Amino acid sequence: MGYALMTDEQRELVNLLHDFQMKELAPRVEECDLTGEFPMDVHDKLGELGFHGMDIPAEYGGCGFDEVTNYLIREEFGMVDAGFGFSYTLSKSGSSTVIRYGTEEQKKYICDRVLNGAIVCNCITEANAGSEVTAMRTTAKKVGDEYILNGTKCFISNGPIADVYMVIAYTDKSKGSHGLSLFMVPKELGVETGKHENKMGLRASVTGEVIFNDVKVPAKNLVGKEGEGYRNILANLTRNRILNTSIVVGTAQHALNEAIKYANERETFGTPIKNHQGIQFMLADMEQLVQASRNYLIYGANLLQRNAPKDVISQVAAGAKVFASEAAMKVTTDAVQVLGGYGYMREYPVEKLMRDTKIFSIFEGTNQINRMVQGRAITKI
Amino acid sequence: MNILVCVKQVPDTTEIKIDPETNTLIRAGVPSIVNPFDTYALEVAARLKDSIGGSKVTVMAMGPEQAKAALKECLSVGADQAYLVSGREFGGSDTLATSYVLSCAVKAVEEKSGENFDIIFCGKQAIDGDTGQVGPELAEHLGYPQITYASDVTFENDTIKVKRENDEGYDYLTCPLPCVITIVKTPYEPRYATIKSKMAANRAVIPTLSAEDLKIDTTMCGLKGSPTKVKKTFTPVREKHGIKIEDKEAADAAKELVDMLSDAKIL
Ligand SMILES: Cc1cc2nc3c(=O)[nH]c(=O)nc-3n(C[C@H](O)[C@H](O)[C@H](O)COP(=O)(O)OP(=O)(O)OC[C@H]3O[C@@H](n4cnc5c(N)ncnc54)[C@H](O)[C@@H]3O)c2cc1C
């Protein structure tokens, strides 16, 4: 990894994950890209190494890492397979809304389940409610000690393989965003899953429909108060914008590494292509983009760690997410260019990196939405 | 079972460059790792420890201060404690001198802890020198029985059972303890560190044993104690022995064999 400011402990962790991934995941990447399957055995082995506790505070039995370490781990995941890294880290960090806003009982419950290998997913989007979250139709109607959930979520990462669903639904439609509430819904309560999406990239991450058909959820599974759901998931989204985007920096770094290797080996006109200014400058530009993305996101991670004011973090998170996802798109596209015709072939690794990268400008708020968040924040006087 | 594993920090490369003037290795700029055969030896030791209650695994390396990194690596994958044997007096030791120093260190650690080692493991050879001599020489210095080139060691009915591969199959050997065993590639992979074990290893304080601590005869170590002179190093030509007919039904394989023999005018 191209970050020279790691502590010894961070370097050890990153090396541990690197060695593991090179042995256990790297040989599977091509197969997962073809089949669109999440390698569950790799997930389980990461648990044996202790990675399931990555997003869990030490007092609940987890690793209690600081947010910069969380960044670095994710970048390392992105170096090998963005899809696996995204699904895996999400399956654990999905617990973080509960850790922030849940009751003691809820926190204990989610931490125990995650440490034991449970997969968590976040259910927000619906067919007619992507950027406009409040357009959603899923409802949670209180009847006695229970809420009855009805509705269909779509494009849910980990949806088809999850054990616990974090679901946002209307408890009171008339209140708009203040009528949305967040629920922790274990699969056993009757959550159904529908169609698996066949995607352009990020294929080791399974994405699909999640259906709630009169699912009865005990009232004690409401996270935070009624009407606080939107606010709470937005706060979590801010964290995700920083940490999930870390993954694509790893993907860009991987693409750059492949391009550098190839530029040293491939010769045209009697010299390795790295000696042609056209290629050398492109590689320098790629390095700048990767390093700038990394440092922008690490700035965000430091803000998270220090509990900076909400408006400061959300502005930085939105900007860093846009910058890093677009930088990665440019870097992975240019890596294909450096490899020429070979870059376009499935036999070489870089075209996949380009396919994997595109989604990072779309989810966690599209880049348009994130520009809006940042633009509004910085123009306020 | 009180187990010792001797490990060496080596440059991470299979294509080591050799200085044509001095015939020694050029190490500059090459990252260091634990000698791979030593990692197998440690895994064998760790498995024995897991199977016999109350066991302990100690690792020991002779080398410069930086070799502590290799020892920390070992602490994260099964070793309980580590010693570095280090000092200017040891620099330039050949295999005879190295094994002498290690034998003194074994005794020093045993004296210090008041416990003797039951088994001492070494990798079959270090990938930088490829001599395969230190293990056997260590056994000689200590006066212990030795079994070399083992691929697995288990403990059954109060005796050790050592598996050794040969061209025809396996030997199962045993010997009285204490003993020295050298290990080849095992049928299983060394375990991964966990986040917890890695962090703990990182914080571990590794004691250094000096020439003084070992009460060593300094004329028997370092360049002075090293009679070996390297005249030339080369990779021996591998001769191909025979042909393997694989992945076939026995009947097909037999037919193919007959065809081959007949083409070669042997039948
Ligand atoms: C692989 C994948 C995984 C996903 N995982 C999850 C998940 O785990 N959980 C979850 O809840 N959702 C998930 N999503 C959904 C994702 O968050 C949404 O797709 C995203 O928010 C965009 O919503 P949409 O697709 O409905 O696009 P729309 O909202 O319909 O947007 C279409 C276009 O219009 C633009 N646009 C919309 N409004 C504005 C505006 N006001 N100003 C300017 N431009 C605008 C958008 O930027 C976009 O370019 C995932 C999606 C994918 C593809």
Side-chain angles (χ1 to χ4, degrees), chain A residues 86 90 121-133 153-159 166 168 197 199 201-202 205-208 237 359 361-370 372 376:
Chain A
F86 173 72
L90 185 79
C121 69
N122 292 318
C123 307
I124 307 164
T125 306
E126 294 178 13
N128 290 310
S131 301
E132 192 186 353
V133 174
K153 300 285 180 182
C154 73
F155 295 169
I156 305 305
S157 302
N158 289 343
M166 300 304 306
I168 185 149
E197 301 297 343
K199 304 193 296 297
L202 209 78
S205 168
V206 287
T207 315
L237 214 56
I359 183 60
S361 323
I362 299 171
F363 59 24
E364 313 296 355
T366 66
N367 283 9
Q368 285 72 27
I369 295 296
N370 276 290
M372 221 164 69
R376 279 183 188 160

Side-chain angles (χ1 to χ4, degrees), chain B residues 65-84:
Chain B
E65 185 68 16
Q66 301 90 284
K68 280 188 178 170
L71 290 169
K72 286 189 172 176
E73 187 80 38
C74 297
L75 286 174
S76 75
V77 285
D80 302 297
Q81 57 175 4
Y83 290 95
L84 177 70

Side-chain angles (χ1 to χ4, degrees), chain A residues 91-104:
Chain A
S91 79
K92 309 303 159 228
S93 72
S95 59
S96 64
T97 21
V98 181
I99 291 167
R100 276 175 88 147
Y101 303 108
T103 61
E104 199 49 38

Side-chain angles (χ1 to χ4, degrees), chain A residues 9 12 16 23-24 49-50, chain B residues 192-195 198-199 202:
Chain A
E9 193 168 288
E12 289 282 332
L16 171 65
K23 285 206 193 107
E24 305 288 337
L49 268 61
Chain B
Y192 290 108
T194 67
I195 292 175
K198 201 84 187 175
M199 296 299 110
N202 219 21

